[in-house]
Amino acid sequence: MELNGKTIIITGASSGIGAATAKKLASKGANVVLTARREERLKELKAEIEKDGGKALVVSADVTKKEDFENIIKKTKAEFESIDGLVNNAGLMPLSYVKNLHTDEWNTMVDVNIKGVLNGVAAVLPTMKEQKSGHIVNISSSAGNKIYPGGAVYCATKAAVKMFTEGLRMELAPNFGIKATSIEPGAVETELTETITDEEIKEGFASSLGDISQLQAQDIADAIYYALSQPARANINEVYIMPTEQPQ
Ligand code: NDP
């Protein structure tokens, strides 16, 4: 779709992939709705986007709360006409070994990485159904395609996102013209690893990637833009993108 004048909601826009995506889509003329919990960061991003001539709305929200999504929809509709896209990007990755029983972190990952995505879809769907158009982009991961020790729960949440996205596409694209895309990146240099508390993982994780050149958030923003900007007839189901130097 032509993004000029279209409205796209981006969750987890306060850093990393979400922030880069907001900048990219705004530079292509989209009205971007910036949501996350850290409102100050969102305000800074809005100012940056507006300085470059873009349009942005800030709505602070926790994706685990349905009422926060209702507020996002209300404010988006008050400011802009339609809801053309949702990038379900908010997520966290407190990797841990199962034996160490970081059960609170398991639950948080399920709440944010899976239920947060479901909450987003439930919030935008009535509007998109009515419009008979829209595009939902869910950020899964290369971890949704393969498992590794320490990533049992994280990988499970990302596999769920990938599978849910294909189910969405099958049900919504033919019947309502609503597209669905799963984005599956390998290692991207962001703040994502900062939530890791398992000391055993922390020790090994920094060295596990070696000194490879990781993907940058901008690379994923470009992939999201590619998926969103295809003509109405073309649905990009998945984008699986790895650093060239990352073997697995
Ligand atoms: P960041 O840590 O930079 O970004 C994570 C974002 O999620 C932040 O903006 C954070 O905002 C938001 N977030 C976390 N919890 C919540 C919540 N409860 N409600 C609302 N927002 C929340 O990491 P990335 O940019 O790397 O991560 C973005 C997505 O990309 C994630 O889903 C991640 O799993 C996925 N991904 C990342 C890869 C990588 O290597 N970096 C690889 C593959 C996938 P705030 O704290 O302000 O709420």
Side-chain angles (χ1 to χ4, degrees), residues 12 14-15 17 37-38 62-63 89 140-141 154 158 185-186 188 190:
S14 57
S15 61
I17 294 168
R37 294 164 304 175
R38 288 171 292 175
D62 182 330
V63 294
N89 164 74
S140 173
S141 171
Y154 180 70
K158 291 301 181 179
V188 188
T190 67

Side-chain angles (χ1 to χ4, degrees), residues 167-239:
L168 276 184
R169 186 195 66 77
M170 292 171 89
E171 290 190 28
L172 300 178
N175 297 320
F176 299 100
I178 301 170
K179 298 192 204 179
T181 302
S182 165
I183 306 282
E184 297 148 25
V188 188
E189 201 172 357
T190 67
E191 298 169 20
L192 192 70
T193 53
E194 288 177 13
T195 54
I196 300 173
T197 65
D198 187 325
E199 292 301 332
E200 279 186 81
I201 296 275
K202 272 186 176 178
E203 278 166 26
F205 194 78
S207 57
S208 67
L209 282 172
D211 60 355
I212 69 160
S213 182
Q214 293 187 40
L215 294 167
Q216 297 299 306
Q218 179 62 48
D219 303 329
I220 312 309
D222 288 347
I224 293 168
Y225 171 65
Y226 166 74
L228 283 170
S229 59
Q230 295 305 303
R233 63 179 176 274
N235 188 97
I236 304 296
N237 296 18
E238 292 178 52
V239 181

Side-chain angles (χ1 to χ4, degrees), residues 2-10 13 17-34 42 44-57 80 87 218 221-222 224-225 228:
E2 167 60 56
L3 290 193
N4 198 22
K6 295 282 166 37
T7 301
I8 319 267
I9 298 167
I10 301 152
I17 294 168
T21 301
K23 280 194 252 181
K24 174 82 186 184
L25 302 183
S27 78
K28 296 293 179 182
N31 309 315
V32 288
V33 181
L34 314 173
L42 298 177
E44 285 164 25
L45 180 60
K46 175 182 158 79
E48 210 180 314
I49 287 170
E50 288 178 343
K51 196 168 131 258
D52 292 337
K55 282 194 189 149
L57 170 71
F80 305 117
V87 182
Q218 179 62 48
D222 288 347
I224 293 168
Y225 171 65
L228 283 170

